[in-house]
Amino acid sequence: KMIKQLLISIVCGAAMLTVGILIGHYGITNAPSWVKDVVRDVDESLIEKFLSEVDNIQIQENLKELTKVPHMATTAGDEQTVQLMLKRWQDPESGLDQAWREEYLVYLSFPDPKNPNKVTVVSPSETVLHTAREKEKSYTPDQDDPAVVQPYAAYSPAGHQRGRLVYANQGKPSDYLLLNQTVDLKGTIAITRYGGAGRAAKAINAAPYGVIGVLVYTDPLDINDGLMSDANETYPHSWYMPPSGVERGSFNTHYGDMLTPYLAAKEETYRIPVEDITGIPPIPIQPIGFEDAYILICDVKLDIFNHEKIKNSSNVMGVIKGSVEPDRYVIYGNHRDSWVHGAIDPSSGTSVMLELTRVLGKMVKQGKWRPRRSIIFGSWGAEEFGLIGSAEYTEQYFTKLSERTIAYINVDIAVFANATLRASGMPSVQNVIFKAAKQVNAAGLESTSVYDNWIKYSNRTSPAHGTIPRMGYLSGAGSDYAAFVHYLGITAMDISYTYDRSKTNARIYPAYHTAYDTFDYASKFIDPGFVSHQAIARTAGNVLIRLADSLVLPLNCSDYAEILEDYLKTAVNLYQNQLQVKHISMGKHPLKRAVASFRSAATHLDQVILSSDLVRRINDQLMLLDRAFLNPLAFPDKYAFRHVIWASSSAGKPTFPGLADAYAKAESSGQPRDWDKVHYHLSVLSQAIEGAANTLVDVI
């Protein structure tokens, strides 16, 4: 028996040696087809074919189909979109290898259709002087659909409050602090405008001062460049929000299902008591339009009838299996649910994803292509209630995704407007996004690439590359990349087309989360002809193919080093002098040494990539880099934020988030324990960056 095992080991070892020799010699012409697959790099002609087949009219028709009815999470309209995704992804001619639904039982919040939420102005004798709109004004049949949900604040508690109205700006802690110096806030109802603080934070920040309710509205200066009249200035005459438009939203600070933190919300999963939920408004809150905000005065009565339910929500998943490394995943995702019709948010992204999968699926079905690595597509459910579908997916498949995922591509709102590309992500993905953008024509500009157009609108100077487009970072939890970045430490990006910020001060596209985000709005005012949608499909698809097919992953650690150096420089300039006063040294601190070590290791890996045949090892080093920045104890007050470079920050400084927040708190309080926390975050950072550098050097 031992001899038999020894012979098997020798044969297997010889086979592996043979494969290694064949892989190392690209000139072999008579090698078996599987060997050619192993050494195959990305096929530029296939990318050109993909780009040529992405059809703007198909995307337009996708969007028309997706927006026929409102499709808020778990409603009948949502189920229609589930069936549409399954039908497309299971199509025998242009579908994927597999497609299925993944179901979760999640805790959601809804208004009561029989008892609509009410905001009224009342006299001392309880006479109703004014009642805020319960639904938005109708301009097209879309607003009259009975499935249009009343504007409400998801997760606001029910309640009936009456109080004097006070204006609290954006509802930030500083706003309430300043207001409380001149006004007794006990028993008042605060009216706030969107922006500055998160939705839930406007109520959470108010409660300690005795505020009993909050209203929130979209200020026309923030969204409409000051325009207010629907006679000739706003929708249906332009892209601007009409006076009765109301931005719905999820008013919670955590992402994922609230009753099953860090666990997938399956039927048998343990659920915490409802009273233990944190991060939701402790007092009633309701959104209104600026039309009503302009009128409200004196005493206001707030009647909120929201209620919570555990409901079945579905992700729709699809996969194209890899030919060489099926155990390595590139994930592409977009949420499917909307607040109303959701033409832009999220159906612009869904329509792009459906076109992308149609083109790639057809290539697979015709036997013209199969990616080197597996591609997983996710149509996430219940995102609008707090990124629930994607978060539950990462919790259910935590180990597998942590060990096997190369990158996550998020295309949520594919097109905010039609001026230029906007991309955010880890610095390591900058190079592959730039390469893809150079190959795609800018929307409506046949002789200009997406890259060249982008650099005109937003750029920065890089020590290594000169003037390049400016990318953003995924430092918050604004879309479904959150769980992949902050919880799993997976390299990620978010890609969209956006507007010219020199021409508008709009905080976001004006119909956001309103009943006016319809196909009519999208096709007339956001992207007539759907050429910006096409440009996003081509750019994101190009990136996807390169990540799935490149022999060596197109991720660049030296670009990461450059941003760490920028963060370090900012931290030194902002904090070093004051820290010295507190006897916390940054002069020869391990943080500086760690960033220098990372730069050295990144440079070394660049050289190894150019000279080594150890492809799988190099790719694992690139794939796992961001996992090295995870620290599960660094942010105990921030649910599921573990990435020490990209965690959210309230300090507003372009540097390391934990350090910036700790310094701001210590500077404000002056307490020794808070300065100790600054020292702690310096140590967390230096050890994480040093650890990441160690993953890039030669394997011991």
Side-chain angles (χ1 to χ4, degrees), residues 182-195:
T182 55
V183 178
D184 182 4
L185 292 177
K186 289 186 177 67
T188 63
I189 291 176
I191 183 168
T192 64
R193 60 191 176 96
Y194 274 116

Side-chain angles (χ1 to χ4, degrees), residues 579 584 586 589 591 659 678-686:
L579 290 180
I584 304 172
M586 287 187 73
H589 193 272
L591 180 58
L659 175 62
V678 176
H679 195 174
Y680 167 75
H681 275 284
L682 280 168
S683 297
V684 166
L685 280 168
S686 59

Side-chain angles (χ1 to χ4, degrees), residues 352-369:
V352 162
M353 181 163 65
L354 282 172
E355 175 60 3
L356 193 153
T357 55
R358 180 190 71 84
V359 176
L360 295 182
K362 188 176 178 182
M363 290 179 178
V364 170
K365 295 295 186 182
Q366 293 177 348
K368 295 178 179 178
W369 174 73

Side-chain angles (χ1 to χ4, degrees), residues 4 106 116 130 199 202 206 241-242 251 253 274 282 326 346 366 407 477 483 564 627 650 655-656:
K4 181 179 179 182
V106 300
H130 174 74
R199 297 185 187 105
K202 296 176 190 298
M241 177 192 285
F251 285 63
T253 60
V274 170
Q366 293 177 348
L564 293 179
R627 316 291 199 277
S650 58
T655 188
F656 306 108

Side-chain angles (χ1 to χ4, degrees), residues 6 57 85 123 185 310 475 512 546 578 589 633 680 691:
L6 179 62
I57 302 303
M85 301 302 295
S123 70
L185 292 177
I310 294 178
S475 54
Y512 175 68
R546 291 184 181 283
Q578 182 64 16
H589 193 272
L633 303 178
Y680 167 75

Side-chain angles (χ1 to χ4, degrees), residues 285-467:
I285 184 168
Q286 173 72 14
I288 59 174
F290 65 76
E291 173 185 71
D292 286 313
Y294 188 75
I295 296 171
L296 294 182
I297 54 171
C298 304
D299 284 4
V300 170
K301 190 177 181 185
L302 194 56
D303 295 297
I304 304 301
F305 298 93
N306 291 357
H307 61 283
E308 288 71 47
K309 290 182 180 178
I310 294 178
K311 299 199 70 177
N312 197 323
S313 177
S314 297
N315 293 338
V316 180
M317 308 303 301
V319 65
I320 299 175
K321 295 177 183 177
S323 60
V324 178
E325 300 179 79
D327 62 333
R328 292 293 179 261
Y329 311 147
V330 181
I331 305 176
Y332 182 111
N334 155 253
H335 76 94
R336 188 185 62 258
D337 65 302
S338 63
W339 283 114
V340 193
H341 291 85
I344 301 303
D345 181 12
S347 300
S348 62
T350 309
S351 62
V352 162
M353 181 163 65
L354 282 172
E355 175 60 3
L356 193 153
T357 55
R358 180 190 71 84
V359 176
L360 295 182
K362 188 176 178 182
M363 290 179 178
V364 170
K365 295 295 186 182
Q366 293 177 348
K368 295 178 179 178
W369 174 73
R370 181 163 292 281
R372 179 185 187 87
R373 304 175 184 94
S374 295
I375 300 174
I376 298 173
F377 294 97
S379 175
W380 312 121
E383 185 268 0
E384 295 293 5
F385 286 85
L387 317 181
I388 291 176
S390 56
E392 301 313 301
Y393 176 74
T394 60
E395 289 168 348
Q396 181 173 2
Y397 299 105
F398 176 89
T399 303
K400 181 167 73 170
L401 295 176
S402 296
E403 292 180 355
R404 300 178 183 178
T405 306
I406 300 293
Y408 174 67
I409 302 170
N410 194 66
V411 181
D412 179 346
I413 298 174
V415 179
F416 290 84
N418 57 5
T420 180
L421 188 74
R422 183 178 78 173
S424 300
M426 274 72 160
S428 53
V429 303
Q430 172 183 283
N431 180 60
V432 68
I433 293 175
F434 286 177
K435 188 161 189 173
K438 289 176 180 177
Q439 290 185 295
V440 177
N441 288 333
L445 302 170
E446 288 302 318
S447 60
T448 304
S449 70
V450 165
Y451 178 92
D452 290 336
N453 186 57
W454 181 13
I455 208 170
K456 294 176 185 176
Y457 286 92
S458 179
N459 60 69
R460 70 177 181 91
T461 301
S462 160
H465 308 298
T467 303

Side-chain angles (χ1 to χ4, degrees), residues 47-216:
I47 289 178
E48 288 298 326
K49 179 176 175 58
F50 166 80
L51 297 178
S52 70
E53 293 192 7
V54 170
D55 188 341
N56 58 309
I57 302 303
Q58 288 277 359
I59 297 172
Q60 174 182 298
E61 293 307 306
N62 290 343
L63 190 66
K64 191 179 293 183
E65 181 72 20
L66 287 161
T67 56
K68 282 182 176 178
V69 296
H71 47 284
M72 188 169 66
T74 74
T75 64
D78 185 27
E79 178 61 23
Q80 285 186 35
T81 64
V82 168
Q83 295 302 324
L84 174 64
M85 301 302 295
L86 287 170
K87 180 180 178 182
R88 296 288 186 88
W89 287 357
Q90 292 173 348
D91 187 280
E93 295 183 356
S94 60
L96 309 178
D97 289 332
Q98 274 183 280
W100 65 97
R101 65 192 300 161
E102 189 82 66
E103 296 185 341
Y104 302 96
L105 286 168
V106 300
Y107 183 73
L108 305 181
S109 168
F110 302 97
D112 186 344
K114 296 180 181 178
N115 291 295
N117 296 341
K118 293 183 182 295
V119 178
T120 52
V121 177
V122 294
S123 70
S125 62
E126 294 289 327
T127 301
V128 175
L129 304 176
H130 174 74
T131 301
R133 282 182 176 272
E134 293 177 8
K135 60 178 291 186
E136 291 140 303
K137 182 177 177 180
S138 176
Y139 298 102
T140 73
D142 290 320
Q143 287 84 54
D144 293 326
D145 191 307
V148 172
V149 69
Q150 178 204 355
Y152 78 111
Y155 301 109
S156 166
H160 308 280
Q161 307 288 18
R162 174 180 168 176
R164 186 162 46 97
L165 193 69
V166 295
Y167 177 70
N169 192 29
Q170 294 178 317
K172 303 187 296 292
S174 58
D175 292 328
Y176 290 112
L177 179 64
L178 180 64
L179 190 60
N180 196 53
Q181 292 172 4
T182 55
V183 178
D184 182 4
L185 292 177
K186 289 186 177 67
T188 63
I189 291 176
I191 183 168
T192 64
R193 60 191 176 96
Y194 274 116
R199 297 185 187 105
K202 296 176 190 298
I204 293 170
N205 296 338
Y209 293 94
V211 176
I212 59 173
V214 177
L215 297 172
V216 58

